[in-house]
Amino acid sequence: MVVCGDDGLAHRLAAELRGVYREQVTLVVPPSGRRVRQPVVGRARAASAALRDMVNAAVNRTGNSDATGGTGGTDGTGGTGRELEATEPTEDVLADAGVERATALALVYDDDETNIRAALTARRLNPRLQLVLRLYNRRLGQHIEELLDQSAALASGGGPGSGSGSTTVLSDADTAAPALAATALVGTSKVVETDGLLLRAVERNPPRPGEVADPGLCTLALLSATSNDPAGADGSEDSGENGPQLLPDAAAVEAATGRGTVALEQVSYSGPPLPAGRAGVPAFGELFSRRLRWSLAGLAACVVALAVALMVVTGDHPLHATYVTLLDLFSINEPAHNADIGRQILQLLSGFVGLLLLPVLLAAVLEALGTFRSASTLRKPPRGLGGHVVLLGLGKIGTRVLTRLREMDIPVVCVEADPEARGMATARRLRVPVVLGDVTQEGVLEAAKIHRAHSLLALTSVDTTNLEAVLYARSVRSRLRVVLRLYDDDFATAVYRTLRAAHPRALTRSRSVTHLAAPSFAGAMMGRQILGAIPVERRVLLFAAVEVAGHPQLEGKTVGEAFRAGAWRVLALEVSDGERAAGADSPSEGARESRLVWELPDTYVLRGSDRVVLAATRRGLAELLGRRARRGVDV
């Protein structure tokens, strides 16, 4: 395996491949003096060392301390590898890294152009190479994926079945955004999308005596026994016997008392579509200010009163009385010289109301023009706003999270210091209020209405900035729900425990983008389609689409027999339209569309032609699908 990158994701991915999948990895990073984000890379190496220690401890506990693979300099993770320093992934650098002999290559540079250039070179050097690219531009990623797959097939002299390499384009922002956005919402803690469906993992409190907990589609995990204890170990990645249990069996769920669960639910996506490129017509309430609306209402009441008075004085028909009143109002009626005194007074009053109407109409025109002009500019938080989400940072991750929150109709107020940030255009298009300013400066969070907010998402790229903003927000509102983007696992665990101890009644979560994204990138390098990842405290559950053929742990076994507690569990079966789920003899002819069937019976026998969606731990997925596991090596 070859991993090329210039930030923390490269180090995290290399540690994932070595520690979990036991692969031989070559890591290509820029020279130390030319790394743009040296502090982040330094924390990544520290986190990688912590991950290695954790894996070694787990291996020693299970008695597999001698299960290593590959040759070369070992790093203590069960896998081997080396590190190269290069400014750019040129052809010579890729050749030196062994791309021509490698099984998979991950290009996770922060720049899309660098990844694309290196991918084109690598595909030419090795058509059978499994390519994994990190691209932020999703539309461009689809075209690049098709182009590289077609190039590999032609270079191999055949189609996809000729042994040509495949290409997978992923985005760390898209992988982490669902979990980050969902953590800030009520009733939803984790979500993952599977081909048009939205799966929601909901944390449920322990059932009361006499109650039966609803497992939903299935029970994904048992939460830490210390989840209600401010001094407990909840939030760490390895928290011992009292820590979270992933994919427990029925006996473990029944035996667990006083522990919350994480249940999987299927939710049909019903959010509104993204707005078009131009902003829509503002509503009447946004078109005119409150004072102007009251002024227009008062003038309308005056017109009605004058029309009624004229009808009473002259005995005219209501429509004719209204018409005459409007003529007097706009000063286009004949003077009432020969009329009685009542008619003359009403005409004078109508003319006076007409004088008041002119400035009100002018103000209405100016306000309407100003509203339409500001539709494409940044909005300010409206008065009386409450129950919203305050989002700090409109970078790559913040933009994706903002889009997801607006898809779910969640009110959002963004805070960004850079007026040229990546997500400013998205905020304008979605008409989301934005406060420009440094979040560490006094008054910025107050302008975002933090005292009336429901939750705070601190997603800037600087850990200390996120921590400072959260601490200040908690001083304003102690029970505010907060979600921090923190990279270093030890630092995140310490912050989590301290904030929970100081504010036991408030929800606190710390999330790492690279921690959520690395398992998906590693799984893609192993040749699987990773649908998403769901965090359970400081652990991660992966959702993958797997072909049953070639896996003796699945093929020919029932769904119940294929389930291995703490490792993997079959959740759904992919069938074509017209095919009978959980018992079809053969797919219907001419079926082109496919769908997922959930709640499979335990007696359904998995066939080699089936394609299933399963939930798995990182180590379980490595054991089930890893190349070394297929060769009989115990992992």
Side-chain angles (χ1 to χ4, degrees):
M1 302 288 180
V2 179
V3 177
C4 303
D6 59 354
D7 61 4
L9 180 59
H11 292 273
R12 172 80 70 173
L13 178 56
E16 185 84 12
L17 292 171
R18 295 168 180 167
V20 177
Y21 292 92
R22 308 295 180 89
E23 292 293 336
Q24 182 178 353
V25 182
T26 298
L27 178 62
V28 180
V29 293
S32 301
R34 303 191 63 176
R35 294 177 191 174
V36 178
R37 294 192 286 179
Q38 181 68 21
V40 175
V41 174
R43 288 196 298 270
R45 286 180 169 174
S48 299
L51 180 61
R52 289 196 298 268
D53 295 340
M54 180 198 70
V55 172
N56 288 334
V59 170
N60 291 331
R61 284 197 302 270
T62 57
N64 293 331
S65 58
D66 58 344
T68 60
T71 58
T74 180
D75 58 2
T77 64
T80 59
R82 61 192 179 113
E83 180 174 323
L84 300 178
E85 290 190 348
T87 305
E88 294 182 358
T90 61
E91 182 175 349
D92 294 337
V93 172
L94 293 177
D96 189 21
V99 168
E100 297 177 354
R101 306 177 304 276
T103 302
L105 166 66
L107 298 167
V108 293
Y109 290 94
D110 194 50
D111 179 51
D112 287 1
E113 182 180 351
T114 301
N115 293 327
I116 294 174
R117 188 188 306 114
L120 296 174
T121 303
R123 178 59 78 209
R124 178 169 50 84
L125 294 175
N126 187 352
R128 292 179 171 80
L129 186 67
Q130 176 78 22
L131 275 177
V132 178
L133 278 73
R134 172 191 184 184
L135 295 182
Y136 181 80
N137 190 326
R138 288 176 287 187
R139 180 176 299 180
L140 176 61
Q142 294 176 358
H143 296 307
I144 291 296
E145 186 172 336
E146 296 174 359
L147 174 64
L148 292 174
D149 284 346
Q150 183 178 2
S151 174
L154 293 176
S156 300
S162 61
S164 59
S166 62
T167 305
T168 305
V169 176
L170 297 174
S171 169
D172 56 337
D174 288 333
T175 304
L180 291 171
T183 308
L185 306 181
V186 176
T188 303
S189 52
K190 300 103 182 176
V191 293
V192 63
E193 288 182 320
T194 58
D195 297 335
L197 294 178
L198 191 67
L199 300 179
R200 178 176 62 179
V202 181
E203 292 185 8
R204 293 176 176 172
N205 295 325
R208 298 177 180 177
E211 293 183 351
V212 178
D214 181 12
L217 293 176
C218 69
T219 300
L220 294 177
L222 295 173
L223 296 178
S224 299
T226 58
S227 58
N228 296 323
D229 181 10
D234 180 22
S236 63
E237 195 165 325
D238 185 7
S239 43
E241 297 180 356
N242 292 327
Q245 296 182 19
L246 304 183
L247 301 176
D249 54 16
V253 175
E254 293 178 0
T257 57
R259 300 181 66 168
T261 61
V262 178
L264 183 66
E265 295 180 352
Q266 177 183 345
V267 181
S268 298
Y269 178 71
S270 59
L274 285 176
R278 62 183 182 86
V281 178
F284 180 81
E286 300 178 358
L287 193 61
F288 303 118
S289 65
R290 184 177 181 182
R291 290 184 178 180
L292 185 57
R293 294 198 301 269
W294 277 109
S295 300
L296 291 173
L299 290 175
C302 292
V303 172
V304 172
L306 290 172
V308 172
L310 182 61
M311 181 182 63
V312 173
V313 171
T314 61
D316 286 346
H317 189 272
L319 292 179
H320 185 265
T322 302
Y323 172 70
V324 173
T325 300
L326 291 177
L327 292 178
D328 294 335
L329 187 70
F330 295 111
S331 301
I332 56 178
N333 197 10
E334 293 290 337
H337 294 297
N338 301 322
D340 54 44
I341 187 64
R343 174 71 182 87
Q344 293 176 350
I345 293 175
L346 288 177
Q347 189 177 57
L348 291 175
L349 290 176
S350 299
F352 178 72
V353 173
L355 293 177
L356 297 178
L357 180 62
L358 289 178
V360 174
L361 291 178
L362 179 60
V365 171
L366 294 178
E367 278 201 6
L369 290 177
T371 301
F372 280 106
R373 188 182 302 112
S374 62
S376 60
T377 60
L378 295 177
R379 301 180 62 202
K380 295 182 179 180
R383 295 180 179 178
L385 178 65
H388 58 288
V389 176
V390 177
L391 175 62
L392 308 183
L394 283 177
K396 182 172 59 176
I397 305 300
T399 303
R400 289 286 192 258
V401 174
L402 171 62
T403 302
R404 286 195 171 271
L405 290 174
R406 292 304 301 135
E407 287 175 352
M408 293 182 285
D409 272 347
I410 305 299
V412 184
V413 175
C414 300
V415 179
E416 175 57 53
D418 183 10
E420 303 296 330
R422 186 193 297 264
M424 297 299 285
T426 301
R428 292 188 182 96
R429 188 182 74 249
L430 299 179
R431 306 192 69 224
V432 174
V434 178
V435 177
L436 287 176
D438 187 354
V439 70
T440 60
Q441 300 296 324
E442 186 175 357
V444 174
L445 284 178
E446 283 82 355
K449 314 292 184 183
I450 192 65
H451 57 286
R452 291 199 297 264
H454 171 267
S455 56
L456 171 67
L457 276 168
L459 303 181
T460 69
S461 58
V462 183
D463 288 1
T464 55
T465 299
N466 295 334
L467 178 59
E468 182 178 354
V470 167
L471 293 177
Y472 181 76
R474 276 285 168 82
S475 67
V476 176
R477 186 177 180 183
S478 59
R479 295 191 180 184
L480 181 69
R481 179 192 296 254
V482 297
V483 181
L484 295 85
R485 174 189 177 185
L486 299 177
Y487 183 84
D488 187 270
D489 288 330
D490 294 335
F491 181 55
T493 302
V495 169
Y496 173 84
R497 293 177 181 175
T498 304
L499 286 176
R500 189 180 61 177
H503 305 278
R505 297 185 179 181
L507 186 142
T508 303
R509 291 291 184 266
S510 60
R511 295 289 181 254
S512 167
V513 173
T514 56
H515 180 81
L516 297 174
S520 297
F521 280 81
M525 293 185 71
M526 302 299 295
R528 255 67 57 193
Q529 180 186 3
I530 302 297
L531 301 176
I534 284 181
V536 179
E537 297 179 6
R538 295 298 295 176
R539 299 188 182 184
V540 174
L541 269 178
L542 300 178
F543 290 79
V546 178
E547 300 285 348
V548 174
H551 303 297
Q553 303 94 330
L554 303 177
E555 190 173 3
K557 296 187 177 182
T558 64
V559 173
E561 293 172 346
F563 169 57
R564 180 178 296 183
W568 62 77
R569 179 171 188 166
V570 176
L571 300 178
L573 173 68
E574 183 178 292
V575 297
S576 301
D577 287 343
E579 181 180 356
R580 287 189 297 113
D585 295 330
S586 61
S588 60
E589 296 183 1
R592 296 181 180 178
E593 299 294 332
S594 62
R595 59 188 178 88
L596 295 176
V597 176
W598 302 85
E599 299 182 356
L600 290 173
D602 289 341
T603 56
Y604 175 73
V605 179
L606 299 174
R607 301 165 299 179
S609 59
D610 289 338
R611 189 169 185 262
V612 297
V613 174
L614 53 84
T617 62
R618 293 183 297 179
R619 187 170 296 277
L621 188 63
E623 180 178 351
L624 177 64
L625 305 175
R627 292 185 294 113
R628 300 182 185 277
R630 291 182 180 178
R631 292 199 295 263
V633 178
D634 184 12
V635 293

